[in-house]
Amino acid sequence: MNSHSPTSLMAALPFARRFARAMVGSQQEGDGLVARSLRQGLAAGLPAHLALYASIASLTADTAPQALSARERQATLLTSLEGLTRQEAAQVLGLDDPAFDTLLDTARKKLRQMVCADVLIIEDEPVIALDLRLLVTRCGHRVVGAASSEAEAIRMATEYKPGLILADVNLGRGGDGITAVRQILRHVSIPVIFVTAYAERLLTAEGVEPAFIISKPFDRMTLAIATYQAITAGQIPAV
């Protein structure tokens, strides 16, 4: 049984889903992981959102050799994607502060050495697209194109064959980023990261949703770990 209030758990669920999906690489498996976490019961000594993260982390382990261990991926996702402090993330993983600092610093050093990807940016705002281009480049990746509409995104994906797509959800008059990605994935298999200022709106577990989501604004490390997870998870995000 969970000792946390239903209200606190409901508030934490969208972000727990994001964390779980990022860890396992798919909407269905991530949401199943959250359900298992709730069924097994949550630690009473932590706030609801931290207890839920802790339960999810306890159920995810290394299933195949990767450059980053499950523990290292959890540490980077919790601090970068989920925005926890180092102290909060250490509590979630059951580590003392020095041990967590060592874990996180090692993971970040590994991320900086990762092989780069060819990235297609789908973003209708020119200034934001430029910022994304600079951020992607500083992470060591190559930007092969920046599309501002559904039609342009589909054309560029066909022409440039990127290894990763970074897509805004709302393209204004240019359409919808999720619709563009749906069309692209009908023909090719490309990992996709969706970018939105309202991540919780895509994390309701109602219908088909993206597997990889990062919230605006985000920093270089958030993009680095999201990119690593999207490329190495071995599954294409459901959209």
Side-chain angles (χ1 to χ4, degrees):
M1 294 294 292
N2 293 316
S3 60
H4 304 282
S5 72
T7 300
S8 63
L9 288 173
M10 288 300 294
L13 276 178
F15 308 102
R17 291 188 182 110
R18 176 172 60 185
F19 174 59
R21 292 176 189 183
M23 276 299 300
V24 298
S26 81
Q27 175 194 354
Q28 183 176 3
E29 290 187 29
D31 289 348
L33 188 58
V34 173
R36 286 170 57 200
S37 298
L38 290 170
R39 284 196 297 269
Q40 77 170 5
L42 307 181
L46 294 173
H49 68 298
L50 298 185
L52 194 47
Y53 286 136
S55 184
I56 293 167
S58 73
L59 294 173
T60 54
D62 291 313
T63 56
Q66 289 193 29
L68 267 67
S69 68
R71 211 66 160 163
E72 289 169 338
R73 287 181 283 127
Q74 290 164 2
T76 50
L77 286 169
L78 288 168
T79 53
S80 296
L81 188 69
E82 299 304 322
L84 299 189
T85 66
R86 288 189 177 220
Q87 291 74 24
E88 289 172 331
Q91 285 184 287
V92 167
L93 299 183
L95 300 174
D96 59 31
D97 290 351
F100 180 82
D101 287 344
T102 299
L103 177 71
L104 183 60
D105 292 343
T106 299
R108 290 185 169 183
K109 287 178 182 177
K110 289 182 179 180
L111 279 171
R112 296 188 188 101
Q113 300 169 357
M114 293 300 161
V115 177
C116 67
D118 289 335
V119 180
L120 172 63
I121 295 171
I122 305 176
E123 169 61 62
D124 66 309
E125 294 288 345
V127 174
I128 297 176
L130 179 58
D131 285 343
L132 288 175
R133 181 185 288 272
L134 291 173
L135 191 58
V136 167
T137 302
R138 287 169 181 166
C139 283
H141 306 297
R142 295 181 294 265
V143 177
V144 296
S148 60
S149 68
E150 290 180 24
E152 193 173 29
I154 295 167
R155 178 184 64 78
M156 286 186 173
T158 301
E159 180 178 353
Y160 299 127
K161 297 178 175 56
L164 175 71
I165 293 175
L166 187 63
D168 192 3
V169 172
N170 183 2
L171 299 179
R173 293 182 179 180
D176 179 85
I178 293 181
T179 301
V181 168
R182 281 199 185 103
Q183 295 295 324
I184 292 168
L185 294 185
R186 287 180 180 177
H187 306 287
V188 293
S189 295
I190 305 171
V192 181
I193 300 171
F194 284 97
V195 182
T196 175
Y198 307 100
E200 63 273 17
R201 295 182 182 178
L202 296 178
L203 292 161
T204 62
E206 297 175 358
V208 182
E209 300 169 345
F212 297 98
I213 305 169
I214 56 179
S215 300
K216 293 180 179 179
F218 58 89
D219 60 17
R220 178 177 170 180
M221 187 51 62
T222 301
L223 179 61
I225 182 59
T227 299
Y228 174 82
Q229 283 297 101
I231 292 173
T232 61
Q235 301 191 37
I236 299 303
V239 294

